[in-house]
Amino acid sequence: MLLRQPWVMPLVRICLVSAFLVGGVSKLLHFDAAVAEQVHFGLQPGWLWAGLAIFVEIAGSVCVITNRFTWLGAGGLAALTLVAMMVANNFWRLEGAARFMALNSFFEHLGLIAAFVMVTYLASGERRSRV
């Protein structure tokens, strides 16, 4: 069975966090743009929120990929995603096509948070089964 191949779960973990890892590195390399993004969404001070986002995106991704402190990495990424949902996908304030797009993105992010809960649960089961 494909799911039992030893390379599948590491690949799935990499895919799950790929947007965060790429985003964190990109923000690090373009810190001024990362600060401007935070300010655009009303998060002040922008440099603090950008730095926090970079740290969580990179460190959280590494935790999930390496399957070490998965609960902490996935939890941080889920919290960051929740903040982004509330700030950037505020569909309740929009109308028309903008509301539709924000609503869709809101629920995509909600699904991503659920995936982080699942990866944490699976990681804890892997640890129990190895003991």
Side-chain angles (χ1 to χ4, degrees), residues 18 23-24 51 53 65 67 90:
S18 61
I65 289 169
N67 208 22
N90 53 354

Side-chain angles (χ1 to χ4, degrees), residues 6-67:
W7 54 269
V8 171
M9 284 298 111
L11 179 62
V12 168
R13 288 193 299 270
I14 290 169
C15 290
L16 176 62
V17 300
S18 61
F20 294 96
L21 190 56
V22 169
V25 170
S26 178
K27 285 178 181 75
L28 185 61
L29 295 174
H30 308 282
F31 190 71
D32 290 342
V35 170
E37 178 185 40
Q38 302 305 315
V39 170
H40 169 77
F41 288 115
L43 298 172
Q44 297 287 346
W47 62 268
L48 179 64
W49 283 96
L52 183 62
I54 291 166
F55 176 77
V56 171
E57 286 181 327
I58 294 173
S61 295
V62 169
C63 288
V64 171
I65 289 169
T66 62
N67 208 22

Side-chain angles (χ1 to χ4, degrees), residues 6 16 22 39 61 88 95 104 109 119 124:
L16 176 62
V22 169
V39 170
S61 295
E95 295 180 12
N104 190 45
H109 284 85
V119 78
S124 69

Side-chain angles (χ1 to χ4, degrees), residues 89 91 97-111:
N89 299 319
F91 64 90
R99 177 182 169 85
F100 174 80
M101 291 171 50
L103 180 67
N104 190 45
S105 184
F106 182 92
F107 282 102
E108 287 173 353
H109 284 85
L110 186 62

Side-chain angles (χ1 to χ4, degrees), residues 57-86:
E57 286 181 327
I58 294 173
S61 295
V62 169
C63 288
V64 171
I65 289 169
T66 62
N67 208 22
R68 301 282 184 250
F69 299 102
T70 307
W71 63 272
L72 184 60
L77 293 170
L80 184 69
T81 302
L82 181 63
V83 170
M85 280 172 58
M86 302 310 285

